Amino acid sequence: MTGTFTTRTVDVTTGSAETMHDLTNACSAFLREVAHGRDGLLNVFTSHATSGLAVIETGAGSDNDLLAALREVLRADDRWQDRHGGAGPGRDHMLPALVPPHATLPVVGGELELGTSQSVVLVTTGQDTPGRKVRLSFLG
């Protein structure tokens, strides 16, 4: 069987506040179009310096807990050398070290193989860019 590779960019409006945006439906819709029942891998990637991707439970408080934990670990103050004109934004550039800008997930029978409560989310703390691009790539 010859493997195929298909990729697409998704635009995500994140607004001007730190946020988590659920990408699970976009990932599933992409796989319905391109996987055609095949097994493979879905890679999700964001090329923004102030965003990352997580596989986490959403809707039960874990999403808010993650943002609170990031606010605690990455405090918005003047400790950061990368200040981009003011105190605080340098912390946003540390986010991808804790929440990586990529995730590779199994695809079984053309469907994303996630646990019952798992979602794929874009995490962003940068408030200077109201939108992000996320690249979805299927290899199968």
Side-chain angles (χ1 to χ4, degrees):
M1 180 177 121
T2 303
T4 61
F5 178 80
T6 307
T7 189
R8 177 173 303 148
T9 301
V10 176
D11 292 317
V12 178
T13 301
T14 55
S16 60
E18 64 182 16
T19 187
M20 291 178 61
H21 181 85
D22 194 333
L23 297 169
T24 309
N25 289 338
C27 292
S28 294
F30 172 68
L31 291 171
R32 278 192 300 277
E33 288 181 36
V34 303
H36 306 292
R38 294 186 310 249
D39 294 348
L41 295 172
L42 175 69
N43 182 265
V44 186
F45 176 76
T46 182
S47 61
H48 297 274
T50 60
S51 295
L53 293 154
V55 176
I56 189 171
E57 178 183 30
T58 58
S62 297
D63 35 5
N64 290 330
D65 289 342
L66 176 58
L67 290 174
L70 290 170
R71 279 191 298 275
E72 181 69 25
V73 172
L74 300 174
R75 294 183 181 270
D77 56 25
D78 63 358
R79 75 181 73 197
W80 310 106
Q81 291 183 32
D82 178 4
R83 294 197 179 116
H84 275 36
R91 79 165 186 118
D92 299 329
H93 292 176
M94 297 297 104
L95 176 69
L98 301 176
V99 182
H102 58 87
T104 301
L105 306 164
V107 176
V108 178
E111 296 184 13
L112 196 55
E113 185 80 1
L114 291 174
T116 302
S117 299
Q118 290 181 316
S119 295
V120 181
V121 297
L122 175 70
V123 180
T124 183
T125 58
Q127 300 172 20
D128 57 341
T129 306
R132 301 289 192 273
K133 292 191 180 301
V134 175
R135 178 162 297 279
L136 306 176
S137 301
F138 174 69
L139 177 63

